[in-house]
Amino acid sequence: MLPRDILISKEASGAWLFLLFNLPAKQSSGRVKVWRRLKKFGAVQLKTSTYVLPDEPAHYERFQWLAKEIVDTGGEATLVRVKDIEGMPHAAVVALFNDARVRDYDEIAEPLTRLLKDQKARKASAETFTSALRSAARSPCGLGVLGTFCEGQIRTRAK
């Protein structure tokens, strides 16, 4: 089990970015595209069509671009900065992120750990190893401090 406080600190500032959006019902491919982007960004779904990220410049820019894409495809999007969420303490929002990152980490950790442990397999199946590394880089686990943490955990498991 990962120490949850290493992912997002419960003492962090507590400011959040909300992306609220609506896409026309006929836009199923657009919905999938938006969902994949949100997953790649590491956003957590708070309510239907409401996603949240910590209020940081990189996340703000990502949400701005995604909001523009949603509007350009005929949908509606609103980006909001929030300090407090009524009925949901800061620690509960942090727990949502940390639980999501643990699932992301677990999804990529085992195959990478096996490949790191077995050098022969790594040399014999360079394509498999490269594919696993690409998958890790695309996952929210590949973002920022969490990426460094995940890498450290994988190396520790491989020993």
Side-chain angles (χ1 to χ4, degrees):
M1 184 63 131
L2 301 173
R4 295 184 188 282
D5 61 341
I6 198 159
L7 303 178
I8 295 179
S9 170
K10 292 178 183 159
E11 291 79 33
S13 72
W16 304 102
L17 296 170
F18 278 29
L19 177 64
L20 302 93
F21 68 93
N22 186 19
L23 286 167
K26 298 175 186 175
Q27 294 267 348
S28 61
S29 64
R31 288 179 193 281
V32 171
K33 182 179 177 182
V34 168
W35 176 80
R36 285 184 179 150
R37 287 261 175 92
L38 290 164
K39 183 172 171 61
K40 180 179 178 182
F41 297 161
V44 172
Q45 185 175 12
L46 198 55
K47 300 283 182 187
T48 304
S49 298
T50 303
Y51 287 79
V52 63
L53 280 171
D55 188 358
E56 297 175 3
H59 295 318
Y60 185 76
E61 185 176 347
R62 288 179 181 121
F63 269 180
Q64 278 184 312
W65 280 105
L66 190 54
K68 183 181 180 332
E69 286 183 20
I70 291 168
V71 170
D72 289 349
T73 60
E76 300 173 357
T78 304
L79 181 55
V80 181
R81 282 190 158 116
V82 175
K83 178 69 176 156
D84 296 312
I85 303 171
E86 185 70 29
M88 189 169 210
H90 177 70
V93 181
V94 168
L96 287 174
F97 275 94
N98 292 342
D99 289 344
R101 297 301 72 85
V102 167
R103 286 191 303 274
D104 292 334
Y105 167 73
D106 287 343
E107 188 176 298
I108 63 170
E110 188 176 331
L112 288 175
T113 299
R114 273 187 275 124
L115 288 168
L116 286 171
K117 280 185 175 180
D118 187 355
Q119 285 199 349
K120 287 181 184 177
R122 190 170 65 221
K123 288 178 183 174
S125 63
E127 186 176 314
T128 303
F129 185 70
T130 303
S131 174
L133 288 176
R134 283 189 186 125
S135 175
R138 286 190 303 268
S139 80
C141 247
L143 299 175
V145 173
L146 181 56
T148 304
F149 174 73
C150 289
E151 180 183 337
Q153 288 295 312
I154 291 167
R155 290 185 188 284
T156 299
R157 284 187 182 192
K159 291 181 181 176

